[in-house]
Amino acid sequence: MRAILAIDQGTTNSKAVLVSEKGEIVGRGSAPVGITYPKPGWVEQDPRRLYASVCEAIDACLKATPDVAVEAVAISNQRESVTAWDAETGDALGPVVSWQCRRTAQDCERLIVEGRLDRVQALTGLPLDPMFPGSKFRWLLDRIRAGRPVRLGTVDSWLVHCLTGGRRHVCDASNAARSQLFDLREQRWSEELGEIFGVDIALLPEVLDSSADFGRTQGLPGVPDGTPIMAVIGDSHAALFGHGAFKPGDGKVTFGTGSSVMTTLPRFIPPRNGVTTTVAWRLHGKPTFAFEGNILVCAASLPWMADILGLSDVAALVELAASAEPGGPGFVPAFVGLGAPYWNSDARALFSQINFNTTRAQMARSVTDSIAFQVHDVIAAMRAQSGGELGALYVDGGPSQNRFLMQCVSNLIEHRVIQCEAPEASALGAAYLAGLSLGLWSDLQVIAELPRSSHIIDPEPVDRAVLLNTWNDALARSTARETTANDE
C-alpha cells in the first residue's frame, strides 16, 4: 500500500500518521516533546528534542504499519514558536521560544507606545502581542554572537531543515503569515516590518505555497532518502483544510493546550474586534484568507484543576463538572494573560463569586465552562466583523471528543457543531495538501467529498444572559489592574 506520511508537530507531542490514497488513516505514532518554564511567563523547548520526537513518532508509526510504502511527507506544525540555527553547521543557536511565551511583553509594549500597532496590524493582520514571533526573533538574535551565519524560522522551517539534511530553508505562506514579518497583501517578507522589529529579513526562509516541493528527505530513519516533502502548513490551518471548510463562513475550533478558532473568508478583510486576519493556505500562488482567534489557555487548565481537587485525571474532572448545574462561580484561565479577543497580557487567572455554598462540582464546572465562554467571545467578534453567516463549524483536538464539553460550546454560541471522530484533523489536512501535489486528489471538491466520520451536536436552550453576566464579571475582575506597592 502507498501512503503519505503526515507529521503533526504539536506543543506537547509530535504525531505521525500514514494516510492512504482513499484519505484513510492506516497508521499512527506519537512521542512527547517536553517543555520547560525557566522563568515566570517564559515557555520554551529544545529544538533538538523537538526533532527527535518527530523521528520517534515516525518510527513508531512505520513499525506499526510495516507494509506501507511512503509516497511523500507532509508537515503540520505548532505555530508562532520560533528558533534560530547556524546556517553552515545547522547547530541550534537557542531554544524554541514557544507561542505561549510572554518574555517579550515589554518589547511589545514599547512598540505600542512608539505608535507601531496600527501599522503592524495593517500589514500583518496581527496585534502587537508576545505570542507572535516578531519580537521573539529579535530576542534570539540579541543572544547570538555577532557575525555568526544565522537562519531564523518557525517550527516548520526547522523541521524542513532537519528533514532535508540542511539543504532547504523554506516555509509555507500560512506559517509566514503568523510571523509578524510578512505582508499579507503583497505576500512577501516586509523590509518595513523587519526594521520595526529589528530583524534582517534576509535571515528568513523562502516562502512557498502550502502545497509545493519543499525538498527531499535525507537521513530520516525509516524513510528512503529522496522522499519528497510535498506540503507544509500551520496546524490550525491544516485542521481547517482537513475538515473541508472551503466555503466562506465555514470554520473550526481546535481544542488543545490553547485553542484556535478559524473561519474562512471570501477575501482579505482587515482585522478588528480582537480577532486576527491570516492566510488559511496558499495554492497556485493564490492565498485563501481566514479570521482567527487565538485562545492562549484552553485544555491546559483541566489537569491543573483536576490536581487541585485531588481527582485522578481530566476525565474525572469533566464527570464531576457535568454533575453541577451551570451558573456557579466564574473562572478566567488567564495563566499567561488573555489572547483573542481581549489581548491583555496583564490579565490574571482567578475565580469569582465564590461563597460558603460553592461546591467542588461547581468549581470544576466553572473551569470546564471557561473553554466555552472563550470560544463564544471569539465567535461573537468574528460575527460582528464579517457581517456574514457562520457556516459549518467543526471541532477537533482531544477535548472535542467529549460530548459534555462540546454541548456547552454549542449552547453558548447557539450554533450546531460537528464533532469529528478522527482527532488527527491537522495531519489529514497536511496529507490532503500533499495529495494535491502528487495528483492523488484532483481538486478541493474531491477532498471535500472524502468520507469523514462525525457527530452533530445541536444547541440546547440555556439562560445565556445569566451565564454571560457571570463570565463578564469574572473577566472584568481578571483584567482590572490596580497599582500596588509591588508595582511601584
Side-chain angles (χ1 to χ4, degrees), residues 40-183:
W42 289 37
V43 187
E44 64 185 42
Q45 294 172 298
D46 181 343
R48 294 165 292 266
R49 172 57 206 159
L50 187 147
Y51 178 61
S53 73
V54 167
C55 294
E56 291 166 11
I58 291 172
D59 182 62
C61 180
L62 295 178
K63 284 182 177 177
T65 323
D67 298 328
V68 172
V70 176
E71 188 91 348
V73 175
I75 298 170
S76 74
N77 60 280
Q78 59 168 306
R79 308 166 308 151
E80 296 101 19
S81 298
V82 299
T83 193
W85 59 97
D86 190 296
E88 296 177 355
T89 67
D91 294 337
L93 299 178
V96 173
V97 183
S98 171
W99 60 272
Q100 291 181 301
C101 189
R102 314 301 287 178
R103 72 185 64 188
T104 60
Q106 289 186 343
D107 299 315
C108 293
E109 287 296 326
R110 174 180 53 80
L111 291 171
I112 292 171
V113 170
E114 291 175 359
R116 304 287 196 172
L117 175 59
D118 289 345
R119 187 58 178 161
V120 169
Q121 282 191 310
L123 291 174
T124 70
L126 304 173
L128 275 168
D129 186 87
M131 172 181 173
F132 300 107
S135 57
K136 293 187 286 198
F137 279 134
R138 183 65 254 170
W139 186 93
L140 286 166
L141 288 172
D142 285 341
R143 285 149 183 82
I144 297 172
R145 175 175 52 81
R148 190 161 188 177
V150 178
R151 286 180 173 174
L152 296 174
T154 43
V155 167
D156 61 318
S157 300
W158 170 246
L159 291 181
V160 171
H161 164 82
C162 295
L163 290 167
T164 62
R167 288 172 171 79
R168 297 298 301 274
H169 186 39
V170 293
C171 71
D172 96 298
S174 74
N175 279 291
R178 309 303 291 176
S179 70
Q180 280 191 320
L181 297 168
F182 191 70
D183 186 321

Side-chain angles (χ1 to χ4, degrees), residues 12 32 140 203 206 277 280-281 364 375 429 447:
T12 56
L140 286 166
L203 307 179
E206 178 187 359
T277 303
W281 49 79
V375 172
I447 291 174

